[in-house]
Amino acid sequence: MAEHIENAVASEEVVSVNFIEAEINKDNEEGVYGGRVHTRFPPEPNGYLHIGHAKSICLNFGLGKEYNGSTNLRFDDTNPEKEDVEYVNSIMEDVKWLGFDWTGEVRYASDYFGQMYEYAQKLISLGKAYVDDQTAEEIRQTRGDFNTPGTNSPYRERSIEENLALFEDMKQGKFKDGEKVLRAKIDMADPNIVMRDPVLYRIVNAEHHRTGAEWNIYPMYDFAHPIEDAIERITHSVCTLEFEVHRPLYDWVLVDWDDTEIPRQIEFARLNVTKMVMSKRKLRALVEAGLVSGWDDPRMPTISGLRRRGYTPSAIRDFCNRIGVAKADSTVDIALLEFCIREDLKLKAPRPMVVVDPVKVIIDNYPEGQTEIVTVENNPENEELGSREVTFGREIYIERSDFMEEPVKKFFRLAPGKEVRLKGAYFITCQSVIKDENGNITEIHCTYDPETKSGSGCTRKVKGTLHWVEASTAVDMEVRLYDYLLCEESDNKDFIADFNTESLQIMHSKGEASLATTVAGDHFQFLRQGYFVTDKDSEPEHIVVNRIVGLRDSWAKQQNK
Ligand code: ATP
Ligand code: MG
């Protein structure tokens, strides 16, 4: 037994080093960057960030902190047609909300367009780049494939002077979109297709959200990114696995960069989560199709959606830590994310009573017009949250699902002739029900036993304890219950067709009086119902709450198995 405990303590203390930290440690030992660690988070401002980006944020800013280094926030804004300041602002907000701060000013790739242009001229002068007149289609067709080498462009042997002049004309806007490109002159037979004279610049006659009409040519990601990193003197350029085959090109681009410390690219596996769509392009399609209310719809896996849903920064950071950093792609069960928010709120959130799907209960032997105050703990698992006073009276609401006229086996809640405990109040016994013309129950008539008041020392036992809300003091609430964005059988491919049309259910609920003053962002556990947050749509006259997650903890159960 003693040994078992010792092991448990020891394993808590082991600091696990992920493979990126191992690489950094090696560089530090070898003095590659003089001990400097400078990372960056480089989003393209073409949509709102999602939980996958949160992983990249936690990783990059986490490394910066861990090594007493720096982390830049840099907008990779090289694609004018898809980008917008709305996205720039939301991304800055999300990074801050997650609890991170960037080093110095926010950076923009577009601020480096001049330096990139000059560097491209340098490559042309070194005979390492040329202007190609082939169409995009021709370039694609002459690239070859895995088994066949590509073929050289007829424009590949242009003179340096002609290339410099044409490149300048491209910049001046003398050509239409797609008429010419600047290509690297590497090797059309390279086994790595990425290295077969990749395009470095394309003509795009579009307004840029920061540089306006100044540029008619824009650099490709593979050319721009290493230069951005080099200008900012990034040491470790962390990106996702699909860029692994691009690494030789990253290094090729920087061969002639004038610096003794050239950044290096390190790839890790991107985060995928079950039941979630993880791509800005796909998320934008959901917004544009009107299937969700916006980028911050509480069903969206965006950081703004998770925030509105009630996820906390610490829960998301905890999730990112638990999944770790790997070199092989995998999919994480959404249950782990749900586990993390439950863990975070379990002790922090007060637990008021809300009847989500109410049915009226009338306690016939309780004096008409009388009410009384009962005391209920705010969070039985955390004494520090104290207790509150709740009104009890003759008419209350309970959950419709807490009553069965013909109870099935093991149904320990209310049924004709059955007695249950009302949380913090009395025992009641069902005597009769009243139904409308459709057979729906409209009132449940009960009697209570005055000897059973909570805390009075009554020793009689009942199996069921129900939450309830007193009718005359109850607050009307709109409760939004969410299900997963994608339907059960989705294979995550056709996300529009697989959209779960039943993912939002709106309930007209009754809450105890203490909820009248709730404001957006308040977190709760509604007794027996799950975790909730007050939505930004909420107003004093119309309270709106979102269910973050139910109480059922499938993750912990899975772990125990
Ligand atoms: P998306 O396809 O969702 O738009 P992206 O990779 O194009 O993603 P960027 O704005 O270029 O989005 O991403 C900024 C940073 O976030 C990049 O370094 C990228 O590798 C990282 N990133 C994006 N998606 C994920 C993910 N699912 N898991 C981990 N990191 C991610
Ligand atoms: Mg992208």
Side-chain angles (χ1 to χ4, degrees):
M1 189 65 200
E3 193 186 71
H4 180 81
I5 291 169
E6 262 174 38
N7 283 342
V9 172
S11 70
E12 288 266 300
E13 284 169 0
V14 169
V15 180
S16 72
V17 175
N18 67 47
F19 77 94
I20 297 180
E21 292 166 323
E23 291 291 322
I24 294 177
N25 293 344
K26 200 167 126 248
D27 286 343
N28 284 348
E29 279 156 26
E30 292 170 5
V32 181
Y33 297 106
R36 275 195 316 126
V37 174
H38 199 149
T39 56
R40 87 284 173 264
F41 173 64
E44 187 187 350
N46 62 348
Y48 283 59
L49 298 183
H50 51 62
I51 182 90
H53 295 109
K55 176 174 177 179
S56 178
I57 291 169
C58 290
L59 178 57
N60 281 299
F61 285 93
L63 289 170
K65 261 190 198 162
E66 186 185 338
Y67 288 93
N68 266 320
S70 309
T71 305
N72 292 359
L73 172 64
R74 177 207 311 148
F75 289 101
D76 205 345
D77 55 349
T78 54
N79 226 338
E81 287 156 312
K82 291 181 183 156
E83 297 160 2
D84 199 88
V85 280
E86 177 196 349
Y87 303 135
V88 169
N89 293 333
S90 76
I91 289 169
M92 292 195 288
E93 187 187 347
D94 288 349
V95 172
K96 284 202 175 135
W97 180 76
L98 277 174
F100 298 105
D101 207 356
W102 47 87
T103 306
E105 297 289 305
V106 172
R107 325 288 165 118
Y108 294 88
S110 53
D111 287 345
Y112 313 141
F113 282 169
Q115 279 161 282
M116 291 178 193
Y117 182 76
E118 282 170 21
Y119 191 61
Q121 285 177 315
K122 178 175 178 180
L123 294 186
I124 294 172
S125 301
L126 291 168
K128 295 175 85 171
Y130 63 98
V131 173
D132 195 351
D133 296 3
Q134 291 184 111
T135 63
E137 183 56 23
E138 283 165 340
I139 290 175
R140 202 182 59 77
Q141 280 176 359
T142 52
R143 196 185 291 136
D145 57 30
F146 190 68
N147 301 309
T148 340
T151 45
N152 285 353
S153 164
Y155 304 96
R156 202 172 192 263
E157 299 309 326
R158 272 180 164 145
S159 70
I160 288 170
E161 291 66 36
E162 189 185 1
N163 279 319
L164 284 171
L166 285 172
F167 188 46
E168 176 69 21
D169 287 346
M170 284 167 64
K171 176 179 179 249
Q172 298 300 336
K174 296 199 178 150
F175 305 113
K176 289 200 277 299
D177 287 11
E179 236 179 281
K180 287 185 167 37
V181 291
L182 183 74
R183 291 179 78 176
K185 196 169 178 178
I186 306 179
D187 181 2
M188 289 305 289
D190 196 297
N192 182 348
I193 297 174
V194 171
M195 298 299 277
R196 295 183 187 170
D197 290 11
V199 174
L200 305 181
Y201 265 93
R202 66 204 192 289
I203 298 170
V204 184
N205 291 292
E207 287 271 317
H208 186 283
H209 64 102
R210 292 190 81 244
T211 57
E214 188 185 344
W215 293 90
N216 302 294
I217 52 171
Y218 290 90
M220 302 300 287
Y221 178 91
D222 281 339
F223 179 67
H225 207 83
I227 297 177
E228 294 159 23
D229 287 341
I231 289 171
E232 294 176 12
R233 303 202 81 235
I234 300 302
T235 54
H236 302 86
S237 178
V238 178
C239 66
T240 41
L241 222 49
E242 68 272 23
F243 290 102
E244 195 168 15
V245 291
H246 295 246
R247 195 187 331 138
L249 181 51
Y250 183 100
D251 295 338
W252 182 92
V253 167
L254 293 179
V255 164
D256 300 294
W257 190 258
D258 197 12
D259 196 334
T260 51
E261 290 173 3
I262 297 297
R264 59 177 289 211
Q265 176 180 302
I266 303 177
E267 310 85 15
F268 72 103
R270 64 169 45 232
L271 169 66
N272 296 302
V273 183
T274 58
K275 307 285 185 192
M276 281 187 163
V277 176
M278 204 76 73
S279 141
K280 280 180 273 179
R281 183 181 59 79
K282 292 178 179 177
L283 295 173
R284 186 182 312 104
L286 287 171
V287 174
E288 285 169 359
L291 291 169
V292 292
S293 64
W295 286 95
D296 72 344
D297 186 292
R299 288 166 291 185
M300 293 280 271
T302 50
I303 295 176
S304 51
L306 291 165
R307 172 164 65 230
R308 190 169 170 193
R309 178 71 170 264
Y311 277 86
T312 56
S314 47
I316 294 176
R317 289 195 305 262
D318 181 30
F319 173 71
C320 293
N321 282 335
R322 283 172 190 268
I323 55 182
V325 186
K327 193 86 194 166
D329 275 318
S330 68
T331 300
V332 176
D333 195 321
I334 196 168
L336 177 60
L337 183 62
E338 296 172 347
F339 169 83
C340 290
I341 187 65
R342 287 193 193 97
E343 281 293 294
D344 190 31
L345 295 181
K346 193 164 69 186
L347 300 182
K348 282 188 209 161
R351 301 182 183 178
M353 295 196 282
V354 172
V355 176
V356 175
D357 183 18
V359 62
K360 185 74 105 21
V361 169
I362 297 173
I363 302 166
D364 290 311
N365 62 338
Y366 193 90
E368 232 164 305
Q370 182 182 310
T371 56
E372 65 187 284
I373 298 295
V374 299
T375 304
V376 187
E377 280 171 294
N378 281 329
N379 184 331
E381 292 184 63
N382 181 2
E383 273 179 23
E384 279 175 26
L385 292 189
S387 56
R388 69 189 185 286
E389 298 188 325
V390 178
T391 306
F392 179 77
R394 188 171 193 266
E395 298 194 4
I396 62 170
Y397 295 102
I398 65 163
E399 296 290 344
R400 206 163 269 282
S401 60
D402 279 342
F403 178 80
M404 269 185 118
E405 206 173 2
E406 288 164 30
V408 294
K409 247 193 180 165
K410 295 202 174 160
F411 185 80
F412 300 128
R413 300 175 235 171
L414 199 60
K418 290 269 161 41
E419 187 173 53
V420 294
R421 179 201 315 270
L422 294 176
K423 174 79 184 169
Y426 298 94
F427 292 7
I428 56 169
T429 304
C430 172
Q431 305 297 348
S432 62
V433 295
I434 295 179
K435 296 179 185 176
D436 64 14
E437 60 272 22
N438 301 318
N440 296 321
I441 293 169
T442 53
E443 277 177 11
I444 301 170
H445 284 262
C446 294
T447 50
Y448 87 115
D449 179 350
E451 305 298 316
T452 57
K453 188 167 182 179
S454 174
S456 69
C458 165
T459 54
R460 196 155 88 233
K461 294 236 160 25
V462 280
K463 281 211 164 125
T465 300
L466 308 188
H467 63 281
W468 52 274
V469 169
E470 195 275 326
S472 71
T473 51
V475 180
D476 286 320
M477 300 175 70
E478 177 178 327
V479 173
R480 297 178 180 169
L481 302 178
Y482 298 100
D483 197 352
Y484 299 123
L485 199 61
L486 300 183
C487 56
E488 196 65 41
E489 50 288 340
S490 173
D491 57 2
N492 237 317
K493 296 224 166 67
D494 189 350
F495 57 97
I496 295 278
D498 289 352
F499 179 76
N500 179 1
T501 50
E502 275 152 39
S503 49
L504 170 59
Q505 197 186 351
I506 294 178
M507 306 297 294
H508 302 285
S509 310
K510 299 284 184 183
E512 59 172 69
S514 69
L515 286 158
T517 53
T518 184
V519 293
D522 285 347
H523 287 91
F524 303 102
Q525 183 189 123
F526 292 165
L527 211 66
R528 298 176 66 224
Q529 293 289 353
Y531 291 96
F532 291 77
V533 70
T534 307
D535 190 74
K536 69 172 188 186
D537 286 347
S538 193
E539 288 170 33
E541 313 76 53
H542 184 79
I543 293 167
V544 181
V545 297
N546 301 320
R547 183 171 65 194
I548 309 166
V549 66
L551 290 177
R552 211 188 89 234
D553 196 340
S554 55
W555 178 255
K557 274 184 202 149
Q558 236 168 280
Q559 296 281 293
N560 290 339
K561 270 183 206 165

